[in-house]
Amino acid sequence: MSREHRILSIAFPHLPSDRIIRQDRQRSSVSRERADGEPLVFYEQQANAMRLAALNPAAERLGLTPGQSLAEARAMQPDLQALPLDRMADRGFLEALADWCGRYTPLVSLDPHAEGYGLFLDITGCAHLFGGEKSLLADLLQRLERMGVEAKGAIAPTPGLAWAMARFCENAIVQPGEEGERLHALPLKALRLPSELLLALARVGLTRVGEVMEAPRAPLSRRFGPLLLLRLDQALGAEEEPLSPRLPPADFSSERRLAEPIVGEDHILEFIRHLAESLKRHFDEKKLGGRLFELLLFRVDGRVFRLSVGTAAALTDPVRIAGLFRERLQAVHDDLDAGFGFEILRLSALTTESREDRQQDLSGRDGAEGQSLSDFIDQAMARLGRDSLERPGFAESHIPERASSFTSAVDARKNTASALPHHLARLAQLRPLRLLVHPEAVEAVAEVPEGPPMNFRWRRALHRVARAEGPERIAAEWWLDGEEAQVRDYFRVEDMEGRRFWLFREGLFGGDISPRWYLHGFFA
């Protein structure tokens, strides 16, 4: 990773017990006082035995360790409080903490390391907003402590080094050029190596990172594999280690930090309008408009609410944007608990697109055709959700039943027949108005090898063919259906009563599988 990057790593050594402490007493089997002051362990099944997976500080002081059997732990401490480890709940709590860390930077990643719980924050270019890296780190850790979450943190030029310093030299800030010096004295566990590899290294007397740094690289690679040197190079910055943010960064964002928290919906909407006015200035400079807006509400106790609204056309009007969020707030009114108030509001444009300047009508509104439909779509989706309205749209497939589908009204705004190339629009006119969801098998008599059907029986009714057009051959999509999939020959046929059908023969004569006939649709 480039030396210009600044990565903040956060470790949560007791996240499961911190989650229990923060839970409502009525929903928890462990009271706050007991969870905080008495031994508490979390267990899960490992290798056909119940073993400790996480502990609180009181349990660690008794000498209990992760990986120890639950029976042995109970023998050492008969009144030990033990709960099953809920990894899904812990993951949800970690993601909630990641949302909260969005107050410092939008680039927040979950720590993929299997052991423990942690986050990575890319704070490149953000620290000056909080008085520097030292102030940012101190503010983050103090706020987490007030929330009842134990955390350790460190800042370094690389994720690997930041991870190591957070766990073995907390609150450290490593400047570019100090990587080797700061890493030299740390244990090899700081390189995020699996336990099997650590045991193998310990057998030959290698326990510190400095010992590996000073040893010849070629013998180490041959004996212990490439992971050891890869982790070392990543920590030193010699190898890239990209971070994947949980959420894609917004194209444009505007944020307001409040001296006094706000609670009322009218105040929230007023700030949304101000934030949208700030976004509009950026939109006008780039001749863009927003298609998907997201509002983040940071509550004073650390909880973060996300509300999003989509639009059918590129939108820049602050009043209109605030109106859509008014609809959204009314829809989620019962689920939006302001508590003691929101201290940070952030409005982001997650998706943007270029917009065309249009002549306004005498009322000052955009006079473009279909504007009223766009307004209706925006309002309905803001109140009822993004998937409440759907439109039929075309898909990239030659197989008729796959060539169209229903998608969100926002996403399908340009996916209409008028947007098709001329030759595809002409082809669409030859398709039946009604298409069966699944082609239905028919019994047909036809000329061999590629003639149209002369008569066919569908749902016990016999139809004699008066006219026929075709065939139109459509090859199989072997990358989806496999190499054994058969080609289709489609025919447009009309029976003696004037009814028109769309039939196809699957397969060719002379192959291993006899051709079969299907009815797929009806013409007007």
Side-chain angles (χ1 to χ4, degrees):
M1 177 165 291
S2 172
R3 290 180 180 270
E4 287 78 13
H5 279 263
R6 302 297 290 169
I7 306 300
L8 168 58
S9 176
I10 310 174
F12 302 100
H14 304 110
L15 185 135
S17 58
D18 291 340
R19 175 179 61 82
I20 292 295
I21 293 174
R22 285 178 57 86
Q23 284 181 347
D24 180 57
R25 293 184 182 182
Q26 295 180 353
R27 298 180 56 191
S28 175
S29 60
V30 180
S31 67
R32 175 179 295 270
E33 292 79 6
R34 182 173 178 81
D36 191 31
E38 297 191 14
L40 173 65
V41 299
F42 298 83
Y43 62 89
E44 65 178 354
Q45 185 170 350
Q46 300 177 8
N48 298 324
M50 293 298 178
R51 298 188 179 276
L52 305 188
L55 303 85
N56 73 342
E60 291 178 345
R61 289 192 292 269
L62 293 176
L64 304 179
T65 58
Q68 189 176 15
S69 69
L70 179 60
E72 181 181 355
R74 288 191 182 280
M76 295 174 58
Q77 187 72 20
D79 59 346
L80 181 67
Q81 178 72 25
L83 296 174
L85 185 68
D86 190 342
R87 292 193 177 274
M88 291 187 63
D90 292 340
R91 172 76 177 220
F93 186 38
L94 183 62
E95 291 181 346
L97 291 173
D99 286 338
W100 177 85
C101 288
R103 65 191 294 130
Y104 298 100
T105 172
L107 302 179
V108 181
S109 307
L110 299 181
D111 184 0
H113 195 250
E115 297 181 5
Y117 304 90
L119 297 172
F120 286 117
L121 280 66
D122 189 339
I123 60 170
T124 307
C126 300
H128 69 281
L129 301 174
F130 303 90
E133 293 180 349
K134 184 176 181 180
S135 298
L136 187 154
L137 180 59
D139 181 74
L140 183 146
L141 296 178
Q142 288 173 5
R143 288 178 180 271
L144 287 173
E145 183 180 4
R146 288 198 295 266
M147 290 165 52
V149 179
E150 181 181 355
K152 301 178 180 179
I155 300 174
T158 66
L161 183 55
W163 189 96
M165 301 303 292
R167 287 152 180 82
F168 298 94
C169 188
E170 57 182 291
N171 302 336
I173 299 178
V174 182
Q175 300 299 332
E178 301 178 354
E179 295 90 338
E181 177 185 354
R182 303 298 293 270
L183 197 62
H184 193 276
L186 297 182
L188 280 176
K189 191 176 181 180
L191 294 181
R192 299 171 293 170
L193 300 175
S195 57
E196 298 81 3
L197 182 54
L198 291 173
L199 290 174
L201 290 166
R203 293 191 189 101
V204 297
L206 297 176
T207 58
R208 295 284 172 180
V209 178
E211 297 168 348
V212 174
M213 295 171 62
E214 297 169 357
R217 296 175 67 91
L220 289 175
S221 180
R222 286 196 300 268
R223 182 164 185 175
F224 301 106
L227 182 61
L228 172 61
L229 297 180
L230 174 63
R231 290 301 193 195
L232 177 60
D233 291 340
Q234 287 177 340
L236 294 173
E239 286 286 344
E240 292 284 344
E241 185 179 1
L243 297 177
S244 299
R246 294 177 56 246
L247 303 172
D251 294 340
F252 298 94
S253 290
S254 181
E255 181 178 292
R256 183 68 62 90
R257 295 174 180 266
L258 307 177
E260 294 291 336
I262 60 174
V263 177
E265 181 177 310
D266 292 338
H267 291 91
I268 294 174
L269 291 172
E270 183 64 20
F271 278 108
I272 291 175
R273 187 178 63 80
H274 289 307
L275 295 173
E277 289 175 351
S278 178
L279 289 181
K280 187 178 186 303
R281 292 192 290 269
H282 297 291
F283 287 153
D284 292 341
E285 292 176 0
K286 303 291 185 179
K287 292 186 177 181
L288 297 174
R291 289 291 318 285
L292 179 62
F293 294 91
E294 182 183 63
L295 175 67
L296 269 68
L297 301 168
F298 293 81
R299 206 166 66 180
V300 294
D301 64 348
R303 186 172 179 184
V304 181
F305 294 88
R306 292 179 181 271
L307 302 176
S308 61
V309 295
T311 64
L315 184 63
T316 62
D317 182 13
V319 176
R320 181 64 182 157
I321 294 172
L324 294 179
F325 276 104
R326 180 186 296 276
E327 298 286 346
R328 193 75 187 121
L329 287 171
Q330 292 177 356
V332 301
H333 183 270
D334 294 337
D335 297 327
L336 187 65
D337 181 9
F340 292 103
F342 301 108
E343 59 180 349
I344 300 177
L345 287 80
R346 180 185 300 160
L347 180 63
S348 302
L350 300 182
T351 305
T352 60
E353 68 177 24
S354 60
R355 72 178 194 273
E356 298 178 358
D357 294 331
R358 296 190 178 95
Q359 179 68 40
Q360 293 184 338
D361 58 21
L362 295 178
S363 66
R365 289 177 55 84
D366 191 337
E369 181 181 357
Q371 184 64 34
S372 59
L373 176 60
S374 297
D375 291 346
F376 167 73
I377 292 174
D378 296 346
Q379 186 173 358
M381 297 181 70
R383 179 174 287 271
L384 303 177
R386 185 176 177 83
D387 298 326
S388 59
L389 295 178
E390 293 183 335
R391 288 178 177 176
F394 294 102
E396 296 182 358
S397 176
H398 293 289
I399 304 300
E401 62 266 28
R402 297 174 181 165
S404 63
S405 62
F406 282 90
T407 58
S408 170
V410 169
D411 299 331
R413 71 196 186 284
K414 293 183 178 180
N415 204 2
T416 61
S418 60
L420 287 177
H422 176 72
H423 67 284
L424 292 181
R426 169 60 181 162
L427 182 62
Q429 297 176 3
L430 303 178
R431 293 291 185 259
L433 293 178
R434 179 187 174 191
L435 196 70
L436 296 174
V437 177
H438 302 288
E440 297 186 11
V442 300
E443 299 176 5
V445 176
E447 298 178 1
V448 177
E450 296 182 355
M454 294 181 289
N455 59 69
F456 64 94
R457 186 180 299 276
W458 174 61
R459 294 183 179 178
R460 300 183 180 180
L462 180 64
H463 299 267
R464 298 187 182 277
V465 176
R467 300 178 182 84
E469 293 179 346
E472 175 193 346
R473 179 160 295 178
I474 298 179
E477 295 180 342
W478 53 266
W479 56 93
L480 296 176
D481 302 320
E483 297 182 358
E484 302 299 325
Q486 303 293 314
V487 299
R488 297 179 181 182
D489 283 344
Y490 278 86
F491 294 88
R492 295 180 294 277
V493 304
E494 182 180 325
D495 66 4
M496 295 297 183
E497 285 74 25
R499 292 168 295 197
R500 302 189 65 195
F501 304 89
W502 203 38
L503 295 93
F504 70 88
R505 181 185 61 242
E506 185 179 62
L508 301 173
F509 286 97
D512 297 334
I513 302 177
S514 299
R516 292 170 293 184
W517 285 89
Y518 294 88
L519 175 66
H520 204 164
F522 310 91
F523 295 90

